[in-house]
Amino acid sequence: MKKLLAILAGVVATVTLATFAGCSVEFNPDKNISIIARDTASGTREAFDSVVTDGEQKLQFKDEKGAKHFLTSSTAEQISSTGVVKSKVQSDPQAIGYISFGSVDDTVKVVKVNGVAPSKATVLDKTYKIQRPFVVMTNKTVTMSKKAADFVKYLESSSVKEDCEKHGVIFLEDAKLRANEGEAEIPVGTYTKLDKLPDGDKIVIRGSTSMKEVITEAAASYAKLYNVNAEDVFDIELEGSSKGTKAVKEDTKGNVIGLSSAAVKDEKVKSFNICYDAVAVIVSKKNTLIENLTLKQLFEIYTAKITKFTEIK
């Protein structure tokens, strides 16, 4: 009996090892592309969709009545956060996705777009086409709490430059670029620390998941100035740009700060662009075929006109 059990155990072990060996999937350019997109509430999605085009249409557009239309294929997996997109692309050799350039690390491979790689230089000179602002929002119609107003002053100042650039995004020093197109310039301010941190409710921060690293860094730096813990000052929950705009518009206490990774124009919202970020197109590091894609090729991948990497000419 013991001998039989030993034989069976050996068989199970062999099958198990074979099964796991088979799970090490390699890149196959003839297999279907796994399209990874952000959900429609995402500012990253809006930035990507508003630039990627076949020359006639963009992935996202408004009709004559102002209704939004999305052309990304129904076969795409829609994800609600930057981190999950990166994780899925990392683990799937057939995948393609897009994330904040500030969130890129060595677990994924960045693809050039129209022959240009994302970088500080190519974002500022506009040669890298898929880019967007990181936006800080408050409610125009309510008086900010002293604590929230002080943190906004910090975010408006040059003090936050290091917090931004530590995470690969480009702090905006040009007053014109800090404002929406056609609106009054917003110069960089100077932050002066108060004698003590103002009393009151926590500062509520809602919005873009792409801005997680930047706002977390800024919150920690601000709290350190007052020798307190950031978690005692801030309530940070990031679920997408549209939720940040919604939270700001519904603010009645004056303690809400919203974050968006797309430009915001709303009569109830006061906003400024704190930095610029590229939207990086990413594939698995196992993908040895794709180094560069045109905007048209991206359009055809995301509308499922191109279904395999070998179809890219």
Side-chain angles (χ1 to χ4, degrees):
M1 185 66 178
K2 288 183 178 179
K3 186 175 181 181
L4 177 60
L5 288 174
I7 292 170
L8 289 172
V11 170
V12 170
T14 302
V15 171
T16 302
L17 287 171
T19 301
F20 278 109
C23 287
S24 181
V25 181
E26 296 301 321
F27 174 62
N28 184 342
D30 288 311
K31 282 189 174 182
N32 283 346
I33 298 170
S34 302
I35 306 170
I36 310 297
R38 288 295 304 274
D39 60 284
T40 56
S42 163
T44 307
R45 168 77 177 266
E46 184 173 341
F48 183 82
D49 283 4
S50 63
V51 174
V52 174
T53 178
D54 64 354
E56 295 182 6
Q57 284 185 309
K58 294 179 179 178
L59 285 175
Q60 180 182 150
F61 64 92
K62 289 183 179 181
D63 63 22
E64 294 174 352
K65 295 181 180 179
K68 282 186 179 181
H69 294 267
F70 302 92
L71 298 183
T72 292
S73 171
S74 60
T75 62
E77 186 174 1
Q78 297 192 33
I79 305 299
S80 61
S81 75
T82 298
V84 177
V85 172
K86 184 165 62 175
S87 177
K88 283 189 172 289
V89 172
Q90 174 192 354
S91 62
D92 183 354
Q94 312 309 131
I96 187 169
Y98 50 84
I99 60 172
S100 162
F101 183 61
S103 298
V104 168
D105 58 28
D106 62 4
T107 64
V108 292
K109 174 180 170 181
V110 176
V111 176
K112 293 179 181 179
V113 176
N114 286 357
V116 180
S119 69
K120 179 176 180 178
T122 59
V123 169
L124 289 177
D125 69 14
K126 305 293 184 182
T127 54
Y128 186 79
K129 298 302 180 183
I130 313 176
Q131 56 176 273
R132 43 51 185 296
F134 278 178
V135 184
V136 175
M137 303 176 283
T138 55
N139 190 316
K140 281 182 181 178
T141 67
V142 297
T143 301
M144 296 295 292
S145 70
K146 289 183 178 180
K147 188 182 289 183
D150 189 57
F151 184 57
V152 169
K153 284 183 180 178
Y154 177 81
L155 294 177
E156 290 175 331
S157 75
S158 57
S159 298
V160 81
K161 179 178 180 179
E162 184 177 345
D163 300 324
C164 290
E165 296 189 341
K166 184 179 288 188
H167 294 283
V169 294
I170 304 159
F171 178 73
L172 290 175
E173 301 185 70
D174 187 324
K176 186 176 181 180
L177 294 178
R178 288 168 67 86
N180 283 324
E181 188 174 350
E183 295 183 3
E185 296 182 358
I186 303 174
V188 177
T190 301
Y191 179 72
T192 302
K193 178 188 169 187
L194 301 176
D195 292 334
K196 67 171 187 174
L197 180 70
D199 295 326
D201 293 338
K202 285 186 177 182
I203 301 168
V204 175
I205 300 179
R206 300 288 186 264
S208 171
T209 64
S210 295
M211 293 180 67
K212 178 181 178 181
E213 288 83 4
V214 170
I215 200 63
T216 301
E217 192 76 42
S221 298
Y222 175 80
K224 187 176 180 180
L225 290 174
Y226 290 97
N227 198 30
V228 295
N229 295 320
E231 55 267 30
D232 295 328
V233 180
F234 299 95
D235 170 6
I236 302 176
E237 188 176 311
L238 307 179
E239 298 180 309
S241 297
S242 64
K243 292 191 177 181
T245 306
K246 184 174 184 288
V248 166
K249 292 170 71 173
E250 294 176 351
D251 179 24
T252 58
K253 293 184 177 181
N255 67 329
V256 177
I257 295 172
L259 308 175
S260 174
S261 50
V264 176
K265 288 190 178 183
D266 189 289
E267 60 183 12
K268 288 187 70 175
V269 176
K270 179 182 179 182
S271 69
F272 69 94
N273 303 327
I274 190 170
C275 53
Y276 268 5
D277 180 47
V279 177
V281 177
I282 57 172
V283 295
S284 165
K285 293 182 77 173
K286 292 183 177 181
N287 187 329
T288 55
L289 182 64
I290 301 303
E291 304 291 337
N292 175 68
L293 291 168
T294 65
L295 290 174
K296 184 177 181 180
Q297 288 167 339
L298 283 169
F299 182 92
E300 291 180 342
I301 290 170
Y302 272 83
T303 55
K305 291 181 180 178
I306 289 175
T307 59
K308 298 176 177 64
F309 285 115
T310 49
E311 295 172 357
I312 296 171
K313 305 301 181 184

